Amino acid sequence: MSLPDTMAMAAGDHAAEIAAAGGLLLIDLDALAHNYQLIASRVPGAATAAIVKANAYGLGIGPVSRRLWAEGCRHYFVAEAAEGRDLRKILPEAVIYVLNGLFPAAASFYSAYGLRPCLGSLAELADWAAEAKRLGKDLPAALHFDTGLTRLGIPESDAGLIAASPDLLKGVDITLVMSHLACADEPDHPMNERQRLAFEALRAQLPDDLRAKPASLANSGGAFLGTAFQYDLVRPGIGLYGGNPFSDRANPFRPVVRAQARVLQVRAARDGAGVGYGATYRVAGRQRLAILSVGYADGYFRSLSRPALVSNETAPGGGVFIGGVFAPVAGRISMDMLTIDVTHVPEGIIRRGDLAELIGPNINLDDVGLRAGTIGYEILTSLGQRYMRIYQSGGTITHGDRA
Ligand SMILES: *Cc1c(COP(=O)(O)O)cnc(C)c1O
């Protein structure tokens, strides 16, 4: 969606607020829905859950979760119990799993909000069983096994222990048996099949009733590894939000986020002048620069700085899309601002108040991650609170919490 479209739709209520915003985050809920349905269509035998941890990867857990619910999503995963509480208020009927498991003395918080811990140890299982006893009713939970990521999860060796002592599960209604892949971003990595076989082996050790429970192994990338990886539930995150789940192949998903920064000033710079803190960047000849109103405090990483003038856009360092072209960052990123080189844009095209695209259809999210020395996930979850968030859905836009 172009800026004039945004402005037209926002005419009235929000036009002045949008005009005054230094950074705009346009979140395309229709693209989110498209990505959800794309995954659902690839996993015909499984349900498609949504990972909405970290405020739905920075995009806003409310608008994202509500739209996914409308698309048929019924299973949600958060990292922390407090995120689960927030989501419970948004979606009273949703199934909500908490990935971080269960801390000591926290069980009553989970049960109060109808949260299902992903139990990653026998100690957590015992705490949840005690809570069930206290309440006098069965409580649902996932059993989370480690199959090689070596992060959270019950070790494979304890699967037999659970089978041998059914009392451990007393009062606990296991609604999901899950594990998590370490290398799903590389579909050809042998680790994927190794983990799948480990998951099979540990499930085979479980008592019959547990073996019959729904199972889940795949994140966004894993959902594309074939039906053997899909089990009963897939757990995509990044793909829903338009990031590339693969590190070595094309992104099948549609961009969801467009981050834009306001042009504060366009200015001429004289030959030899230093630009920005440290004066690391030297103006060569006559250059025109534009100052943009987003900086590292907004999650535009300082590692996107460019110490020197570059002649091509593939050189390290950040760049934006403005006036129909790619304009590279000039000098260091500041806390609240960054400078770009617009010498090659004809004079008069870029004006004060215009918007430059930092991430979006022209500036690929994962490419920004690479340029910053990280991944798209970290770029999304770092998008700062100062951005005015605008949600686009079916030709209408809503702003912030009202979405
Ligand atoms: C974050 C997470 C996911 C989602 O992974 P993506 O790569 O974003 O699709 C799935 N499962 C678990 C256990 C996670 O921690």
Side-chain angles (χ1 to χ4, degrees), residues 299-390:
Y300 198 83
F301 285 32
R302 192 166 177 275
S303 53
L304 290 162
S305 301
R306 280 185 197 264
L309 178 64
V310 289
S311 53
N312 69 62
E313 58 185 76
T314 58
V320 309
F321 187 80
I322 188 166
V325 300
F326 180 89
V329 164
R332 285 193 184 150
I333 310 294
S334 310
M335 186 185 294
D336 316 301
M337 280 175 268
L338 62 97
T339 302
I340 54 169
D341 174 32
V342 294
T343 310
H344 55 305
V345 183
E347 203 156 350
I349 300 264
I350 298 171
R351 289 162 307 172
R352 178 177 72 97
D354 283 356
L355 289 169
E357 180 182 308
L358 306 174
I359 300 167
N362 303 292
I363 302 282
N364 182 281
L365 165 70
D366 300 288
D367 192 40
V368 176
L370 268 179
R371 287 170 180 275
T374 179
I375 52 176
Y377 295 71
E378 193 179 9
I379 299 293
L380 283 185
T381 54
S382 300
L383 290 167
Q385 285 311 308
R386 277 200 298 216
Y387 280 105
M388 181 179 177
R389 283 163 165 78
I390 295 172

Side-chain angles (χ1 to χ4, degrees), residues 51 53 57 99 144 151 178-180 218-221 235-239 245 377:
I51 304 277
K53 60 194 180 192
Y57 290 42
L99 289 166
H144 184 184
R151 201 174 63 180
M178 62 175 281
S179 188
H180 190 34
N219 59 353
S220 303
R235 311 186 306 268
I238 194 71
Y377 295 71

Side-chain angles (χ1 to χ4, degrees), residues 23-354:
L24 292 177
L25 211 54
L26 217 59
I27 294 151
D28 184 347
L29 295 175
D30 297 329
L32 170 81
H34 167 90
N35 293 339
Y36 180 80
Q37 298 301 349
L38 175 67
I39 297 173
S41 72
R42 296 296 168 90
V43 298
T48 303
I51 304 277
V52 293
K53 60 194 180 192
N55 197 26
Y57 290 42
L59 304 195
I61 192 170
V64 162
S65 300
R66 274 193 288 269
R67 179 57 184 267
L68 291 174
W69 180 268
E71 296 296 320
C73 182
R74 294 295 176 265
H75 302 87
Y76 296 78
F77 290 78
V78 292
E80 293 207 346
E83 296 176 323
R85 172 199 53 199
D86 295 345
L87 182 57
R88 177 56 71 215
K89 290 174 189 158
I90 297 161
L91 295 178
E93 309 286 320
V95 173
I96 304 174
Y97 288 103
V98 179
L99 289 166
N100 284 0
L102 188 60
F103 306 151
S108 62
F109 186 89
Y110 285 62
S111 60
Y113 292 102
L115 309 177
R116 302 183 184 184
C118 298
L119 301 169
S121 70
L122 298 184
E124 291 179 31
L125 177 57
D127 281 356
W128 198 234
E131 176 68 0
K133 191 169 177 201
R134 186 181 75 85
L135 294 175
K137 61 171 187 183
D138 283 8
L139 289 177
L143 271 186
H144 184 184
F145 286 96
D146 175 32
T147 53
L149 177 62
T150 319
R151 201 174 63 180
L152 289 183
I154 302 170
E156 291 166 66
S157 52
D158 282 356
L161 223 114
I162 291 173
S165 19
D167 272 7
L168 289 174
L169 290 164
K170 206 165 177 303
V172 179
D173 173 22
I174 298 300
T175 52
L176 191 68
V177 174
M178 62 175 281
S179 188
H180 190 34
L181 296 169
C183 303
D185 61 316
E186 297 174 64
D188 298 328
H189 199 295
M191 184 87 179
N192 292 318
E193 181 64 3
R194 241 183 278 146
Q195 283 193 264
R196 189 185 72 78
L197 293 174
F199 194 51
E200 286 291 306
L202 76 82
R203 286 179 68 233
Q205 290 182 58
L206 295 175
D208 290 347
D209 58 329
L210 273 191
R211 212 176 315 139
K213 297 293 184 187
S216 176
L217 182 60
N219 59 353
S220 303
F224 288 78
L225 290 173
T227 48
F229 284 81
Q230 295 168 358
Y231 291 95
D232 303 294
L233 184 81
V234 295
R235 311 186 306 268
I238 194 71
L240 299 174
Y241 309 117
N244 191 353
F246 306 117
S247 52
D248 62 358
R249 60 192 65 186
N251 188 356
F253 297 104
R254 218 177 253 179
V256 173
V257 176
R258 185 163 177 190
Q260 295 171 304
R262 187 81 54 193
V263 173
L264 299 173
Q265 277 193 10
V266 183
R267 51 170 300 163
R270 65 181 164 69
D271 193 18
V275 176
Y277 288 126
T280 53
Y281 180 106
R282 292 279 162 195
V283 171
R286 275 190 61 81
Q287 276 183 254
R288 255 177 316 109
L289 303 173
I291 322 300
L292 307 182
S293 65
V294 158
Y296 60 74
D298 304 291
Y300 198 83
F301 285 32
R302 192 166 177 275
S303 53
L304 290 162
S305 301
R306 280 185 197 264
L309 178 64
V310 289
S311 53
N312 69 62
E313 58 185 76
T314 58
V320 309
F321 187 80
I322 188 166
V325 300
F326 180 89
V329 164
R332 285 193 184 150
I333 310 294
S334 310
M335 186 185 294
D336 316 301
M337 280 175 268
L338 62 97
T339 302
I340 54 169
D341 174 32
V342 294
T343 310
H344 55 305
V345 183
E347 203 156 350
I349 300 264
I350 298 171
R351 289 162 307 172
R352 178 177 72 97
D354 283 356

